[in-house]
């Protein structure tokens, strides 16, 4: 039970120093003052906090001044201060970071991805690992001519090729093209998503999910329209890529495939 009326008076604009600032630490239980939603902190960034109630429902709230109640009293939640890691520093991919890294001479082996967006996402998450291993990532602008590209690359032991393909599902055009590649020094893997955008978890972008786009509608433009973003695909991609910081922001269907390719092209013959 609260003591008195916590909403009485001008508590949204109190005198200086009257409303304490409380770090939104994991599992801290607070109540949103406006809606009455009560839950434990499960995530917090510089702009918002996510609360989970006792039924497992989650809601996102902005970190506004005096927006929450802690034990019945108004508080301002703030993002917890970053703490120094107890163990080795990790790269964005979760691997142990190599301090003072100088990129090694590039291997002859390569990883090919379909487009510039795929390459940018791989670089952002696995760039450190790739420089440690000396692996170069290039993009193909589609896989329609993949058999000819593989033949031109001339793979052999010590000169391997890994290929990441979008929408590699049974019966797709991409799966039929991939089946034409038979060299033991080429590994073609893929994720089930129509576009690499979908490999970013919706929660990272604060959307309920990636929308379904009707056949005949360009996928990226259809997604932008459904989400109401009112922007061009290039700007939408910058927004998506900017929201990604670590491997935990990506779906496991992509994570496993990229790790598999890195292992393949760096394997000692």
């Amino acid at each position: 039970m609260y003591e008195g009326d916590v909403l009485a008076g001008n508590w949204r604009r109190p005198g200086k120093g009257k409303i304490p600032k409380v770090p939104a630490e994991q599992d801290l239980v607070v109540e949103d003052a406006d809606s009455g939603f009560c839950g434990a902190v499960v995530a917090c960034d510089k702009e918002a906090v996510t609360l989970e109630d006792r039924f497992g429902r989650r809601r996102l709230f902005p970190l506004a001044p005096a927006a929450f109640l802690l034990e019945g009293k108004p508080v301002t939640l703030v993002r917890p201060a970053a703490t120094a890691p107890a163990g080795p520093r990790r790269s964005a991919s979760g691997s142990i970071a190599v301090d003072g890294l100088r990129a090694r001479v590039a291997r002859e082996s390569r990883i090919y991805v379909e487009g510039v967006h795929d390459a940018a996402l791989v670089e952002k998450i696995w760039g450190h690992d790739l420089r440690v291993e000396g692996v170069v990532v290039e993009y193909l602008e589609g896989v329609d001519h993949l058999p000819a590209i593989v033949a031109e690359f001339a793979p052999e032991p010590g000169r391997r090729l890994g290929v990441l393909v979008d929408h590699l599902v049974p019966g797709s055009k991409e799966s039929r093209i991939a089946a034409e590649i038979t060299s033991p020094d080429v590994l073609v893997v893929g994720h089930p998503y129509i576009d690499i955008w979908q490999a970013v978890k919706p929660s990272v972008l604060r959307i309920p999910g990636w929308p379904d786009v009707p056949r005949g509608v360009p996928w990226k433009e259809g997604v932008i329209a459904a989400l109401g973003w009112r922007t061009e695909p290039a700007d939408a991609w910058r927004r998506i890529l900017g929201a990604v910081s670590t491997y935990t922001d990506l779906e496991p269907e992509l994570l496993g495939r990229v790790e598999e390719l890195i292992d393949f092209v760096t394997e000692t013959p």
Side-chain angles (χ1 to χ4, degrees):
M1 296 294 291
Y2 300 141
E3 297 179 3
D5 183 0
V6 297
L7 300 181
N10 193 12
W11 67 278
R12 282 290 195 186
R13 292 182 173 83
K16 183 177 179 182
K18 288 187 178 180
I19 300 296
K21 293 183 178 180
V22 177
E25 302 284 359
Q26 194 84 2
D27 296 327
L28 176 72
V29 177
V30 295
E31 178 182 340
D32 174 60
D34 285 338
S35 67
F37 186 91
C38 183
V41 173
V42 293
C44 184
D45 60 26
K46 63 182 180 181
E47 296 179 350
V49 63
T50 302
L51 303 182
E52 180 178 293
D53 70 8
R54 61 193 181 94
F55 301 106
R57 296 174 298 195
R58 294 190 177 189
R59 287 184 59 183
L60 190 72
F61 299 96
L63 292 176
F68 300 92
L69 302 176
L70 177 62
E71 296 180 352
K73 298 179 180 180
V75 296
T76 296
L77 290 186
V78 296
R79 189 178 186 181
T83 56
R89 189 170 63 87
R90 297 282 175 173
S91 71
S93 70
S95 64
I96 296 177
V98 178
D99 293 321
L101 169 69
R102 294 182 62 185
R104 59 176 288 174
V105 175
R107 297 172 183 263
E108 290 191 67
S109 299
R110 292 286 189 272
I111 291 177
Y112 285 173
V113 297
E114 281 206 48
V116 64
H117 291 181
D118 307 67
L121 187 60
V122 170
E123 163 61 28
K124 186 162 189 179
I125 300 302
W126 289 274
H128 178 85
D129 308 59
L130 295 168
R131 283 184 283 279
V132 169
E133 299 292 349
V135 176
V136 174
V137 175
E138 301 178 12
Y139 65 91
L140 301 170
E141 297 184 350
V143 294
D144 289 354
H145 305 292
L146 184 59
I149 292 170
V150 170
E152 182 180 0
F153 182 83
E156 60 183 16
R159 180 181 166 81
R160 286 181 150 188
L161 179 61
V163 183
L164 179 68
V165 177
D166 296 343
H167 199 226
L168 192 61
V169 296
S172 68
K173 175 191 73 174
E174 291 81 2
S175 67
R176 293 191 293 271
I177 293 173
E180 298 180 36
I181 311 301
T182 58
S183 169
D185 296 305
V186 180
L187 176 63
V188 180
V189 299
H191 56 74
Y193 308 115
I194 295 173
D195 190 277
I196 197 70
W197 290 17
Q198 287 182 295
V200 177
K201 292 179 178 178
S203 59
V204 175
L205 299 165
R206 300 178 187 172
I207 59 176
W210 289 104
D212 293 326
V213 177
R215 287 183 177 273
V217 176
W219 192 83
K220 289 184 174 71
E221 287 78 359
V223 165
I224 291 169
L227 294 176
W229 281 359
R230 301 182 183 276
T231 187
E232 296 298 320
D235 293 326
W237 171 243
R238 281 191 285 271
R239 176 176 180 171
I240 294 167
L241 186 63
V244 174
S245 57
T246 75
Y247 72 99
T248 59
D249 296 330
L250 304 180
E251 299 288 0
E253 289 83 355
L254 176 67
L255 295 174
R257 302 295 74 74
V258 175
E259 297 285 352
E260 191 176 352
L261 289 177
I262 294 174
D263 289 345
F264 179 78
V265 299
T266 57
E267 184 178 348
T268 303

